[in-house]
Amino acid sequence: MWQNGQPHRHTYRDIPILLEMAEDEALHTEKIKREKLKRISSREADTAHQQLNTESGKSVNGRYGSILASPENQVRQASAALRKIWRKSNENSFSLNAVEADVLSKSSFKNSNTLQELDNVYNKRLPARVNEFSAEYQKGIATEEAARENKLRQAEQNYKKEIEAEQQRKAAEEQRINEQRLQQQKIVEQAAEKRQREEAELRAKLDAQKPEAQQQNQEVARADPTQTERKEKTPVELDRRLEGFLSRSQIEEQIKLWEDSCRSLIQPKTDSDKQIAMKIKRMIAVPIGALTQRSGEDLKIQIKKIGALLDGKELPNHPETAAFSILCASQRMVRLAEEQLSSNEKAACAAAAAVIALWDHDSNFGQLFMAHLYLACPILLPRDPQPVDIDETRMRSYVGYARLITCMASSDCAPGKDYHPFGIENLWKILASILLLPTGNELGPHVVYEILRYSGKRLSAYYNNAFSQLLAFIYNHYIPTATGGPAARLSSILDEVDQKGWQDPPGNLASNFWTTKDEMTGKIVDH
């Protein structure tokens, strides 16, 4: 018997159905024999009927037929009795008791062939079939158990192979990342050594020029003593006050060394390199563009995605992808300040927190980011010539840069960290260097205004009296020499501080910011 295209294996539940099938088979066999006998004696029966019905016109069957029991009913009565006896037998062991002889003797059925057939069915054929079904059932269970064990064994072997392959892949990935970090660290060390040599050469040059300048001043003093008093500070003295700051050439050299480590992706020559470079840029741009001040949980998710890319995870297979991803991330973050922070003043604090977290995650990213930020905002390099004519578009970009670096210096450490890679002391140096520059344009007053607006409260708490003296210098000496709208706003914020004190910056991050969730999740963001 087949079922759903597969051989059907009988179970113990099929026994009653099989009994009925056996009974039907026996009844069918007896029916065939009975019909055969009827055909043989049909003529004799017709003759006897005609003789009995000559006078009365009534048939014997019509008068006595209701008294005689039909052979079919007698078969079914005997079958029911045999079935009742079989069901009372031991069904759990599936052994059939022999049909007792007195059942046959007490039965009113006289057809011995049918009784023998039923006896053969119940006492011989049916037990044999039950044994066959039982053996087939046990064989099927054993086969399924063996197949299941084989499948489990094979799955366990495949799992072990996958674990081994994953461990080998992770080991190879860690080795590749370590090699790249060693190479990048070597590049940074070479740039630092070169910068130290240049600074030493500059100090030696200034020391060599100092006696000559003193001798010239003495000669001028002998010729005209009043001229020395009127003489302003020399450019050499001004450079000495700013020699602690980097120059543009030093930063460009550091960036060039890093770009050399991923030159094939910066200037791709093959279609494969072009596709890899474009894919990495897209992968970097998406999470950086999604940085937002909506909630701390959302910001941490984007920072985690960027950090994974900085580690070289999920990047195309190429020896320069790790260095190229760090370079693209630093450049893209500077563009974020230029495009968004210049118009969205409340996003600066969250963007700065993201930069500090990524800097703490990868120091190479922080150094490259600061290098590109210094090149983009010239007032952060006071040793170099400052721009004179600045259009409105460039001024807005410089404002975005100033907001970002100001919020970075005055931000807290990254979640779970106790070290800040760009502390408030760096902002103090930047503010002091800007005040040393001449006020030839509106860029200096504008940047000073943004620094006081976003970090005035933190500077006041950290430097206290020294900061108060610096504010007095700004109010009495710096603002009078400045012109334009930024100078007026700078004077206004100082007057407001005298009346109300320092206020929190726009978009200030509360102490519980990193635990807040977005409103889209169904929970109100409380910060």
Side-chain angles (χ1 to χ4, degrees):
M1 184 178 295
W2 292 75
Q3 183 175 0
N4 296 330
Q6 299 293 333
H8 178 63
R9 183 170 62 252
H10 294 289
T11 62
Y12 299 144
R13 299 177 181 178
D14 298 333
I15 298 301
I17 299 175
L18 294 174
L19 290 174
E20 293 182 1
M21 292 173 61
E23 292 175 2
D24 292 340
E25 182 180 357
L27 292 174
H28 181 68
T29 303
E30 182 62 23
K31 183 178 180 181
I32 293 174
K33 293 181 180 179
R34 190 166 60 250
E35 290 178 353
K36 184 176 181 180
L37 293 176
K38 285 182 179 180
R39 285 195 300 268
I40 295 174
S41 60
S42 59
R43 293 182 181 179
E44 295 178 358
D46 291 340
T47 304
H49 285 190
Q50 290 176 1
Q51 292 176 359
L52 291 175
N53 295 330
T54 52
E55 295 180 358
S56 59
K58 296 181 180 179
S59 130
V60 175
N61 288 337
R63 181 177 300 177
Y64 305 104
S66 61
I67 301 175
L68 300 177
S70 66
E72 185 176 353
N73 291 336
Q74 294 177 4
V75 170
R76 292 192 179 277
Q77 291 175 2
S79 176
L82 291 172
R83 187 189 308 171
K84 184 177 180 180
I85 294 173
W86 184 87
R87 286 179 177 176
K88 290 182 179 180
S89 63
N90 186 5
E91 295 181 3
N92 294 330
S93 59
F94 294 96
S95 62
L96 296 177
N97 296 328
V99 181
E100 298 180 359
D102 57 348
V103 175
L104 301 178
S105 61
K106 294 179 182 179
S107 175
S108 61
F109 183 61
K110 303 302 182 181
N111 195 326
S112 59
N113 292 331
T114 301
L115 292 177
Q116 291 177 359
E117 183 68 22
L118 291 175
D119 181 69
N120 183 38
V121 168
Y122 282 100
N123 295 323
K124 295 180 181 179
R125 293 167 57 185
L126 187 59
R129 293 291 295 275
V130 170
N131 293 333
E132 291 177 2
F133 295 153
S134 178
E136 183 182 357
Y137 180 76
Q138 296 297 333
K139 182 179 178 181
I141 292 177
T143 303
E144 292 178 356
E145 184 68 21
R148 184 163 53 251
E149 291 180 356
N150 186 23
K151 187 175 181 180
L152 290 175
R153 192 182 306 109
Q154 187 175 3
E156 185 177 359
Q157 294 176 357
N158 294 336
Y159 179 74
K160 290 181 179 180
K161 291 181 181 179
E162 292 178 358
I163 293 295
E164 293 177 358
E166 183 67 17
Q167 291 176 351
Q168 294 177 359
R169 187 190 67 79
K170 288 183 178 179
E173 184 69 15
E174 291 178 358
Q175 183 178 2
R176 182 181 67 85
I177 293 175
N178 292 333
E179 292 177 354
Q180 291 179 349
R181 288 182 174 176
L182 291 175
Q183 182 181 2
Q184 295 166 2
Q185 187 67 26
K186 185 177 180 181
I187 294 173
V188 173
E189 291 176 355
Q190 292 176 355
E193 292 176 357
K194 185 174 182 180
R195 183 171 64 253
Q196 292 176 358
R197 289 196 302 269
E198 292 179 353
E199 292 177 355
E201 293 176 358
L202 180 60
R203 293 194 193 95
K205 184 178 179 181
L206 293 175
D207 293 339
Q209 293 177 354
K210 187 174 181 180
E212 297 179 0
Q214 291 178 352
Q215 184 178 359
Q216 293 177 359
N217 291 337
Q218 292 175 0
E219 293 177 356
V220 172
R222 286 194 297 269
D224 187 1
T226 60
Q227 186 175 358
T228 305
E229 298 177 358
R230 297 192 304 267
K231 185 177 180 64
E232 296 180 355
K233 295 179 180 180
T234 62
V236 175
E237 293 175 340
L238 183 62
D239 289 342
R240 289 189 64 86
R241 290 182 295 175
L242 300 175
E243 67 180 5
F245 294 88
L246 297 175
S247 63
R248 178 175 291 270
S249 60
Q250 292 173 334
I251 296 176
E252 290 176 346
E253 183 65 23
Q254 182 180 0
I255 294 177
K256 183 178 181 300
L257 290 174
W258 189 273
E259 290 177 346
D260 291 340
S261 64
C262 54
R263 182 65 62 183
S264 63
L265 295 180
I266 297 176
Q267 298 175 349
K269 298 181 180 180
T270 63
D271 294 338
S272 177
D273 290 345
K274 290 180 181 178
Q275 293 177 359
I276 292 175
M278 291 298 296
K279 184 176 181 180
I280 294 176
K281 288 180 180 180
R282 287 194 299 267
M283 295 174 68
I284 292 291
V286 171
I288 290 181
L291 294 175
T292 176
Q293 73 276 15
R294 287 199 308 262
S295 67
E297 291 292 338
D298 183 71
L299 188 61
K300 283 193 292 187
I301 291 174
Q302 305 306 327
I303 292 173
K304 185 177 180 181
K305 292 180 180 180
I306 301 172
L309 295 175
L310 295 181
D311 292 338
K313 298 178 180 178
E314 301 180 0
L315 293 178
N317 187 14
H318 194 278
E320 300 179 358
T321 53
F324 185 69
S325 64
I326 296 175
L327 179 65
C328 292
S330 61
Q331 294 173 343
R332 189 70 186 182
M333 194 63 73
V334 173
R335 286 182 57 187
L336 177 71
E338 177 183 355
E339 297 173 355
Q340 296 187 17
L341 304 188
S342 59
S343 57
N344 186 4
E345 60 182 14
K346 292 185 178 181
C349 293
V355 173
I356 294 300
L358 294 173
W359 192 339
D360 185 78
H361 180 81
D362 193 325
S363 59
N364 293 323
F365 164 79
Q367 294 176 2
L368 272 178
F369 167 77
M370 292 303 300
H372 286 98
L373 186 61
Y374 280 137
L375 292 183
C377 190
I379 201 168
L380 300 178
L381 300 174
R383 291 175 55 178
D384 294 329
Q386 298 297 311
V388 179
D389 297 329
I390 304 175
D391 57 18
E392 185 178 355
T393 302
R394 295 308 303 166
M395 183 63 74
R396 284 198 300 268
S397 300
Y398 294 151
V399 169
Y401 303 144
R403 289 175 177 174
L404 180 57
I405 196 171
T406 300
C407 293
M408 285 172 54
S410 59
S411 65
D412 296 327
C413 298
K417 305 294 182 179
D418 55 359
Y419 169 73
H420 200 292
F422 191 75
I424 194 69
E425 66 278 2
N426 295 280
L427 187 60
W428 179 267
K429 294 177 183 179
I430 292 173
L431 181 58
S433 68
I434 295 174
L435 296 178
L436 291 176
L437 296 175
T439 56
N441 53 43
E442 296 181 356
L443 179 58
H446 212 326
V447 174
V448 173
Y449 168 76
E450 297 294 340
I451 291 175
L452 297 181
R453 186 184 180 203
Y454 281 89
S455 297
K457 187 175 182 179
R458 185 65 64 92
L459 288 170
S460 177
Y462 194 83
Y463 289 100
N464 203 354
N465 293 332
F467 185 61
S468 299
Q469 296 176 3
L470 186 65
L471 293 179
F473 174 80
I474 293 174
Y475 193 82
N476 297 324
H477 299 282
Y478 187 76
I479 293 179
T481 61
T483 58
R489 288 193 292 271
L490 184 57
S491 177
S492 175
I493 193 175
L494 292 178
D495 293 337
E496 184 178 354
V497 168
D498 289 338
Q499 298 176 3
K500 302 180 182 179
W502 292 103
Q503 304 296 322
D504 290 330
N508 181 53
L509 304 183
S511 58
N512 65 332
F513 170 76
W514 293 106
T515 60
T516 58
K517 295 186 178 180
D518 193 359
E519 292 179 354
M520 291 184 174
T521 62
K523 297 183 179 181
I524 299 176
V525 180
D526 183 16
H527 61 80

